[in-house]
């Protein structure tokens, strides 16, 4: 399955989730390729900050030919996760065209709900050529013990795309683990952040199995 993590809004957690989903799938024994489609190169920086090899392959493809370049590479992997760039661009369009599933992280704020219109429009555009393209929202950086996640789920329903049951909370280990090129599955394997990521990866796999 090729999952493209996309949102033109910056800082919503595209890179954080792309890295963590890649690790969660790799931990289950899958061969995983993480494609860094962001010229900022955050996922590549993350991999470079590690002391050892990451538990999955990381490659940079930040030209708007991802949809052409990826298929032959993807054959060697069970799953490919694309970390998308911020801002509307031909890169995001190419990274959506390459995908089976577009995962849209949104923070629980009305600004994020409104800003999702940009990625929604790109997906609509791609769906004309790609009938089977699936897209889902995932709430990231939810504040623990608040109801605000629920309001956002309701507001997002206006787009007519599903919102994943798994939500990822604002948790310090996500930011901390990044500094050393690790994931919470390594630094806090029994913590709640790790549980959220494992549940998210499971839900994504289930989505991939129903066509
Ligand atoms: N669930 C979370 N809990 C705590 N911190 C988080 C969480 N998700 C992301 N962050 C932090 O928020 C910041 C932005 O996240 P990230 O870089 O993943 O977003 P992005 O969408 O990839 O940004 P860009 O659009 O610039 O590529 C980072 O410092 C990251 O560590
Ligand atoms: Mg990023």
């Amino acid at each position: 399955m090729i999952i493209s993590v996309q949102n033109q809004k910056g800082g919503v957690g595209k890179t954080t989730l792309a890295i963590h989903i890649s690790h969660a799938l790799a931990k289950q024994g899958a061969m995983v390729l993480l494609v860094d489609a962001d010229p900022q190169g955050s996922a590549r920086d993350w991999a470079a900050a590690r002391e050892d090899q990451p538990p999955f392959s990381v490659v940079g493809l930040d030209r708007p030919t991802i949809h052409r370049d990826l298929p032959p590479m993807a054959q060697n992997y069970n799953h490919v996760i694309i970390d998308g760039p911020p801002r509307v661009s031909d890169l995001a369009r190419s990274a959506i065209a390459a995908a089976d599933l577009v995962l849209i992280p949104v923070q629980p704020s009305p600004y994020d709900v409104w800003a999702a219109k940009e990625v929604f429009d790109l997906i609509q555009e791609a769906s004309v050529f790609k009938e089977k393209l699936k897209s889902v929202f995932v709430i990231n950086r939810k504040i623990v013990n608040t109801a605000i996640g629920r309001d956002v789920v309701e507001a997002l329903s206006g787009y007519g795309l599903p919102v994943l049951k798994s939500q990822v909370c604002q948790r310090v280990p996500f930011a901390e683990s990044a500094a050393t090129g690790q994931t919470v599955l390594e630094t806090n394997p029994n913590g709640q952040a790790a549980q959220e990521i494992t549940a998210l990866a499971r839900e994504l796999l289930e989505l991939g199995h129903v066509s």
Side-chain angles (χ1 to χ4, degrees):
M1 177 165 49
I2 301 183
I3 302 175
S4 198
V5 186
Q6 298 291 329
N7 193 331
Q8 274 58 58
K9 191 162 191 292
V12 294
K14 294 179 290 293
T15 303
T16 303
L17 294 187
I19 288 170
H20 279 84
I21 292 163
S22 297
H23 195 182
L25 295 174
K27 262 191 105 170
Q28 297 185 358
M31 293 282 290
V32 179
L33 173 66
L34 173 62
V35 174
D36 186 348
D38 183 353
Q40 290 180 105
S42 308
R44 279 166 279 179
D45 287 341
W46 172 86
R50 284 184 76 87
E51 284 180 357
D52 57 355
Q53 287 288 331
F56 45 85
S57 309
V58 181
V59 67
L61 278 186
D62 53 14
R63 296 287 176 272
T65 49
I66 301 162
H67 57 294
R68 287 208 315 252
D69 300 340
L70 186 57
M73 297 168 81
Q75 282 179 2
N76 303 319
Y77 294 91
N78 301 109
H79 302 295
V80 178
I81 313 297
I82 306 176
D83 177 19
R87 292 179 292 279
V88 169
S89 67
D90 42 359
L91 262 179
R93 205 172 262 125
S94 176
I96 289 171
D100 302 310
L101 174 70
V102 182
L103 179 68
I104 313 160
V106 283
Q107 299 173 101
S109 111
Y111 303 118
D112 279 50
V113 174
W114 297 323
K117 174 83 167 68
E118 289 191 42
V119 64
F120 177 79
D121 286 347
L122 285 184
I123 291 166
Q124 293 299 101
E125 210 180 274
S127 300
V128 175
F129 306 97
K130 244 189 138 162
E131 262 175 53
K132 286 197 174 157
L133 182 65
K134 285 188 217 173
S135 326
V136 291
F137 288 111
V138 60
I139 309 285
N140 182 35
R141 308 189 86 166
K142 182 184 131 107
I143 308 295
V144 180
N145 295 331
T146 56
I148 195 157
R150 242 177 289 152
D151 301 341
V152 169
V153 170
E154 204 176 300
L156 285 172
S157 68
Y159 286 110
L161 300 179
V163 182
L164 291 183
K165 281 201 298 289
S166 324
Q167 301 188 340
V168 180
C169 290
Q170 170 71 30
R171 298 192 189 276
V172 173
F174 282 113
E176 276 178 353
S177 63
T180 49
Q182 289 175 290
T183 70
V184 299
L185 302 175
E186 294 167 288
T187 58
N188 301 69
N190 301 315
Q192 282 165 309
Q195 279 173 26
E196 288 168 355
I197 290 301
T198 305
L200 171 60
R202 194 175 302 134
E203 198 175 353
L204 288 170
L205 280 181
E206 281 166 15
L207 267 180
H209 289 137
V210 290
S211 48

